[in-house]
Amino acid sequence: RTMAALAAAPALAARFASVRGKGSKKRVAPCRAVSVDTVTDATTGPGVTDPLMLRAIRGDKVERPPIWMMRQAGRYMKIYQDLCKKHPTFRERSETVDLAVEISLQPWNAFKPDGVILFSDILTPLAGMNIEFDIVKGTGPIIMDPVRSMADVQKITPLDPTKSVSFVGESLQILRKEVGNDATVLGFVGAPFTLASYIVEGGTSSHYKVIKKMAFDEPAVYHALLNSITDSVITYVKYQADSGAQVVQIFDSWASEFAPSDFDKYCLPYLTRIVQEVKLTHPDLPLILYASGCGGLLERLATTGADVISLDGTVDMADARARLGPEQAVQGNMDPVHLFANKQFIVDKVHDTIKKAGTHKHVMNLGHGVMQGTPEENVATFFQTVRDYRY
């Protein structure tokens, strides 16, 4: 798929114009068809200083775990699918403030999660780094000019979010006003290696041979690239926090493609630097770190200092708790396919996950993004079951 995407890149570069900063008329979101009981419970509402998620991550005593879902806003919802018919390109939807806000709020209006995450993409800041890209339906991300040499690395420019991704900041500001103190607003970024994998491979990849070969055979180029990306990711995290994000999740989706010893050399230092440098200026900003296939890397991920380690389905919640210790906040980790099962199965899995996680520092989530085709009524059951749960 990567080679086909590269072959199509010149035509796509001409076809797709940037929509950064594009404005639109105010829109009225359609009424939801599927919903949960949104009556305020004892964990939210007047008199509570911080949203439930912030208090749970901090280690305060709470009555139930907070809940949200990765890929919460988007493709599984009919209301989103209908919007896509009018606005067919992903970049238009994610880079137009009114659309990004509307889509971000669709699951909030339907399910009242405890976290509202900005509708965006990890590749969004790349254009502001002089790396042109697009996201094409049926193909995925396409990098117009993949980075393969030191000369290519030197063309990358530092990210200035106020100039290149101001729509992100504006969207986050609006989301904070919309949800108030009833939920936590989340931003997110791609981790350096995961971003580099797209930048070097030219798009999606099955084995990441090009980026890994660069790391092994041309370490100077690899580390120059990763350092450049890391600088911009740090800037982007801080920008999102300053714009209203109360939590930022770092997605290192492909880090587990490295063997653990290689992860220590080619991924871990950059993740650690992000956490350390963000905490220098934003010490109270919770950072969640997610790596798909992380079962063999848990202890390594924890050394970054991230406030929350998000678990995927490769590790049992009880095992993760035992390995990481009670003071390491965790997130997750139901299998997204569980949400295709019957209602009682979903309820049982929710209860099992929460019991294994315990009553301290747990954020309920899936082990991966919610899948396209997931029945909305099952998503409603997932959220309602957690909202009804009491420790």
Side-chain angles (χ1 to χ4, degrees):
R1 286 196 302 171
T2 300
M3 293 305 295
L6 289 173
L12 287 164
R15 178 183 171 192
F16 292 98
S18 171
V19 295
R20 293 190 299 273
K22 180 179 177 182
S24 65
K25 296 186 296 182
K26 291 295 181 183
R27 299 166 51 84
V28 179
C31 295
R32 61 184 183 269
V34 178
S35 65
V36 299
D37 178 4
T38 58
V39 175
T40 300
D41 61 29
T43 61
T44 62
V48 178
T49 302
D50 289 324
L52 175 63
M53 186 184 299
L54 293 182
R55 291 184 282 121
I57 292 173
R58 193 164 57 215
D60 295 356
K61 185 176 181 179
V62 293
E63 294 189 8
R64 65 168 176 88
I67 179 173
W68 69 284
M69 296 188 305
M70 288 181 281
R71 292 186 181 169
Q72 176 172 278
R75 56 190 181 174
Y76 68 100
M77 298 186 74
K78 184 179 185 303
I79 192 173
Y80 173 77
Q81 295 163 10
D82 291 342
L83 183 146
C84 291
K85 295 174 184 177
K86 299 178 181 178
H87 305 279
T89 69
F90 183 90
R91 291 193 65 181
E92 179 192 5
R93 297 191 296 270
S94 62
E95 298 182 15
T96 303
V97 171
D98 287 352
L99 293 175
V101 169
E102 179 179 340
I103 295 167
S104 301
L105 291 174
Q106 286 174 348
W108 163 250
N109 292 329
F111 310 116
K112 283 295 184 288
D114 297 300
V116 175
I117 190 165
L118 175 67
F119 180 76
S120 186
D121 192 84
I122 61 171
L123 301 185
T124 293
L126 293 189
M129 299 160 61
N130 197 33
I131 302 171
E132 290 301 321
F133 77 99
D134 205 7
I135 300 173
V136 181
K137 184 177 181 179
T139 302
I142 294 176
I143 305 299
M144 305 307 179
D145 296 299
V147 171
R148 300 290 172 79
S149 67
M150 188 64 79
D152 293 335
V153 173
Q154 291 169 348
K155 295 176 184 177
I156 298 174
T157 57
L159 178 69
D160 183 345
T162 60
K163 293 181 178 179
S164 60
V165 290
S166 60
F167 51 86
V168 169
E170 187 176 345
S171 298
L172 286 167
Q173 291 171 10
I174 295 172
L175 288 175
R176 278 293 297 274
K177 293 177 182 177
E178 289 289 331
V179 304
N181 200 44
D182 292 331
T184 298
V185 172
L186 294 97
F188 68 94
V189 298
F193 171 71
T194 290
L195 291 178
S197 72
Y198 290 104
I199 293 169
V200 173
E201 299 278 346
T204 56
S205 176
S206 56
H207 299 290
Y208 303 90
K209 290 181 289 188
V210 181
I211 181 71
K212 291 172 73 173
K213 188 175 188 303
M214 175 187 284
F216 303 151
D217 288 352
E218 300 179 274
V221 176
Y222 176 87
H223 289 296
L225 174 60
L226 270 286
N227 273 307
S228 177
I229 295 172
T230 301
D231 290 341
S232 289
V233 169
I234 291 168
T235 298
Y236 195 32
V237 172
K238 293 180 179 182
Y239 175 73
Q240 291 189 30
D242 292 340
S243 298
Q246 296 162 287
V247 175
V248 175
Q249 177 152 319
I250 304 166
F251 284 90
D252 209 349
S253 304
W254 312 129
S256 62
E257 292 295 324
F258 275 122
S261 60
D262 291 331
F263 172 84
D264 291 344
K265 183 174 183 179
Y266 300 113
C267 289
L268 186 59
Y270 303 103
L271 294 169
T272 302
R273 184 155 79 86
I274 291 170
V275 175
Q276 290 178 342
E277 294 194 24
V278 169
K279 292 293 185 178
L280 287 176
T281 56
H282 297 71
D284 298 323
L285 175 70
L287 298 174
I288 303 173
L289 177 57
Y290 173 81
S292 181
C294 65
L297 301 173
L298 287 187
E299 293 82 359
R300 288 171 162 85
L301 294 174
T303 67
T304 63
D307 300 275
V308 184
I309 302 301
S310 190
L311 310 171
D312 79 341
T314 61
V315 60
D316 184 81
M317 176 61 77
D319 293 341
R321 278 301 209 185
R323 289 166 61 184
L324 294 173
E327 291 307 311
Q328 173 63 65
V330 295
Q331 177 175 273
N333 68 333
M334 272 180 56
D335 184 343
V337 181
H338 288 161
L339 298 188
F340 287 86
N342 66 75
K343 180 177 179 179
Q344 190 56 53
F345 183 91
I346 295 170
V347 171
D348 291 344
K349 284 294 183 180
V350 168
H351 289 173
D352 180 64
T353 302
I354 295 175
K355 289 175 182 177
K356 287 180 177 179
T359 63
H360 188 59
K361 290 190 173 183
H362 174 227
V363 177
M364 188 65 181
N365 207 313
L366 301 175
H368 203 281
V370 62
M371 299 173 66
Q372 188 169 8
T374 302
E376 289 185 56
E377 58 269 26
N378 290 6
V379 174
T381 296
F382 179 54
F383 279 106
Q384 191 65 54
T385 303
V386 178
R387 286 176 61 87
D388 290 343
Y389 192 93
R390 291 296 179 268
Y391 287 134

